[in-house]
Amino acid sequence: MLGGSAFSSATFDDNAFDDLEAPLLAELPHPINWNLLTAEEAETAWIELNRWVNWLRRTYGLPASIIPPFWHRHPELVWELSALHLHWLSAYDPDQHGSAPFGWHRDFADARARLHDWVATSGTRLDRDRPTRQTAWPGEPPSDAVEETAITNRDDDFIAFVVADVERRRGSEQQSMSEPRPT
């Protein structure tokens, strides 16, 4: 509704075009290194990825054997889904070539196969989850036993997981700021 009045002449005052060096977009899509995110960055990244994963699984009717409810508790799934999200953002960027979405769908088929393999290996399911088993190499102590837990409320678990992750990162940030700097 442009003729309506969401816009007024005050919206386009004399200073509106002063900062010609500012980016036109808020931020271009970029890879996320989950190991290096600050607490604030991680909170935003988790929320954005969770929204997109929910959209993806509903739009494409993906079963829990591809994207299980506790995907966020399995780093191998987080990294794959995060990369797939970035690829999707880039493929559907308005400046992208018109065939980019086709390439995304081709790569999505490969990603679904990898996700299926990792879900099968990890043992996470629709109604139960366990940490991905780790294989101890010769000379390492044996891996801890893994126990399954029932999934009763996925959203509550996701929130608790993100809060714990953000608090852990915040604690690390505070600790690194309080450590003496070498001179």
Side-chain angles (χ1 to χ4, degrees), residues 28-31 83-97 100-101 104:
L28 294 174
H30 60 278
L84 193 59
H85 180 218
L86 173 65
H87 190 8
W88 182 85
L89 288 169
S90 298
Y92 285 91
D93 183 276
D95 292 332
Q96 189 58 265
H97 187 274
W104 181 86

Side-chain angles (χ1 to χ4, degrees), residues 68-94:
F70 277 16
W71 60 264
H72 56 279
R73 292 196 170 270
H74 297 273
E76 65 275 27
L77 301 177
V78 171
W79 287 95
E80 181 76 30
L81 290 166
S82 183
L84 193 59
H85 180 218
L86 173 65
H87 190 8
W88 182 85
L89 288 169
S90 298
Y92 285 91
D93 183 276

Side-chain angles (χ1 to χ4, degrees), residues 80 84 87 100-114:
E80 181 76 30
L84 193 59
H87 190 8
F102 182 76
W104 181 86
H105 279 92
R106 182 189 59 241
D107 295 339
F108 180 39
D110 293 339
R112 285 193 317 269
R114 284 191 304 273

Side-chain angles (χ1 to χ4, degrees), residues 12 18-19 52 73 77 104 117 119 121 126 141 153 163 175:
F12 298 102
D18 284 350
D19 189 4
W52 184 79
R73 292 196 170 270
L77 301 177
W104 181 86
D117 289 347
V119 169
T121 300
L126 179 62
N153 188 316
V163 167
Q175 181 181 1

Side-chain angles (χ1 to χ4, degrees), residues 39-87:
E40 184 178 326
E41 292 167 339
E43 184 175 16
T44 301
W46 280 120
I47 291 167
E48 287 180 9
L49 184 58
N50 187 58
R51 285 180 183 155
W52 184 79
V53 168
N54 278 330
W55 170 84
L56 181 72
R57 72 181 181 85
R58 288 183 176 128
T59 300
Y60 290 92
L62 300 174
S65 62
I66 304 291
I67 301 179
F70 277 16
W71 60 264
H72 56 279
R73 292 196 170 270
H74 297 273
E76 65 275 27
L77 301 177
V78 171
W79 287 95
E80 181 76 30
L81 290 166
S82 183
L84 193 59
H85 180 218
L86 173 65
H87 190 8

